[in-house]
Amino acid sequence: MGELEVLRHFTRLSHLNYAIETHFYPLGSCTMKYNPKVNEAAARLPGFSLAHPLAPPELLQGALELLYGLEQMLAEISGMDQITLQPAAGAHGELTGLMLIRAHLSSRGDPRRKIIVPDSAHGTNPASSTLCGYEVIQVPSNPRGIIESDKVAEVMTEDVAAMMITNPNTLGIFESEVQAIAEVVHAKGGLVYLDGANLNALMGIAKPGDMGVDVLHINLHKTFSTPHGGGGPGAGPVGVKEFLRDYLPVPRVVKGRDGFSLSEDHPKSIGRVRSFFGNFGILVRAYTYIISLGSDGLEEASRMAVLNANYLRKRLEGTFHLPYTEPCLHECVFTDRFQQKHGVSTLDIAKRLLDYGFHPPTIYFPLVVPGAIMIEPTETETRETLDAFADAMIGIAREAKENPTVLKSAPHSTPVGRLDEARAARKPVLRWEPAERK
Ligand SMILES: *Cc1c(COP(=O)(O)O)cnc(C)c1O
């Protein structure tokens, strides 16, 4: 094929992409915020992008200083004592954090077998617990969407290694009892793990480290920008309190009189969890993001994320059923209860949004909300975009009443129509036929 044919092929494919740079992307729990281009410029600096990971530390001083500095900044933001940047994703951070907990409890001669996980948790929480060899005990959230310390006390025993809790939780609600829950768990010798993937509502305002948390992970590819559509790469740094420091993965970046070096000399360490230093390019982007916003900027980002989510919550309440009515943090969860009367479900609403030019929100998650529609606008969207999205949602609700068949067969304007999603995942049809040739 000629160069032009190849170029056209790939350019056409690129136009089928859906990206934050082309469309609004309100995917709840995923924080699909805009990634400032200065992050990309920094990650492409030759000293970073061309550095060989096996080069001796003397030749990597800038890169090591960046890692050290990022650890310090994330410790300050989260209120933890020490951070490891190795884990490559949130779920990987969870597994690392649980391994730290296991190492600590084992060294006490009391390894324990169970982890408590809320019913509203991200699926990775029970998955990571199971992968780490623990049995999962579920604790229910109350009608206001939060976990009560009394409910935790009912299941907390001396065989529970830790309680995992997400704050703000996946319903977008602040877990106001974290401190009381921590007291219950600590009183029986367990540890508190915080799933901090949703730090976008807290940074600059509240620190999980002040809430009795012993271990947490943060998703750099959510809160600290860095692109993560299409599955990565990401970074899920883990933060710990002082008493867990010795168990952190090696190598650790240390600062000495002669500059920065890598230290393997930590006999209690759980070892490596990732090759080299983790996803270094993502770490450069997060560092740049934090430096360029500063502490005031990070706080403003959190406040805007919360404001935008509450703006959409107010604009859509009444049109869509809102199972939890109190103010939300960074995201809000609706359901299809009002539309079910017309035979229209959450899936139909999500598919129809594609015709209006919007990426659908997260759907059917969290599992505690039947027919969930989970909207996370993030702070980087304008009021005009939020209004256009709300207008589309309200238009779809009107269609549900007046013309439900158009919803049942949506989308109508995309390269392919309604797919059998199970088959599309297992037997994808990768050959593209232009419509006119069919
Ligand atoms: C995204 C998310 C995770 C998992 O993070 P990955 O990087 O996708 O592994 C875990 N918990 C919560 C609450 C999340 O939103």
Side-chain angles (χ1 to χ4, degrees), residues 28-31 88-94 121-125 166-170 195-198 217 219 221-222 228 234-236 331 365 376:
S29 206
C30 294
T31 317
H92 193 196
E94 290 170 26
H122 197 273
T124 50
N125 289 191
T166 306
N167 205 16
N169 66 27
T170 60
D195 181 333
N198 296 327
H217 81 266
N219 277 27
H221 49 290
K222 291 178 180 170
H228 70 288
E331 62 196 359
F365 178 81
E376 181 180 10

Side-chain angles (χ1 to χ4, degrees), residues 329-350:
L329 291 189
H330 62 300
E331 62 196 359
C332 54
V333 179
F334 291 93
T335 86
D336 57 0
R337 188 185 289 176
F338 299 162
Q339 286 67 41
Q340 285 283 359
K341 289 198 288 278
H342 313 291
V344 167
S345 68
T346 288
L347 184 68
D348 303 323
I349 296 164

Side-chain angles (χ1 to χ4, degrees), residues 20-21 29-44 70 74 77 88-90 196-201 203 218-229 231-237 279-294 297-298 301-302 305 376 378-380:
I20 191 69
E21 285 159 12
S29 206
C30 294
T31 317
M32 303 300 284
K33 62 166 79 173
Y34 172 64
N35 303 283
K37 290 296 162 247
V38 64
N39 299 351
E40 302 303 313
R44 279 172 180 70
L70 182 58
L74 294 176
I77 291 167
N198 296 327
L199 204 69
N200 212 40
M203 61 174 173
I218 300 167
N219 277 27
L220 295 189
H221 49 290
K222 291 178 180 170
T223 308
F224 298 96
S225 79
T226 81
H228 70 288
N279 280 330
F280 182 68
I282 296 301
L283 306 177
V284 178
R285 287 170 174 89
Y287 182 93
T288 310
Y289 180 76
I290 295 171
I291 292 281
S292 57
L293 261 74
L298 292 179
S302 294
E376 181 180 10
T378 83
E379 72 281 8
T380 56

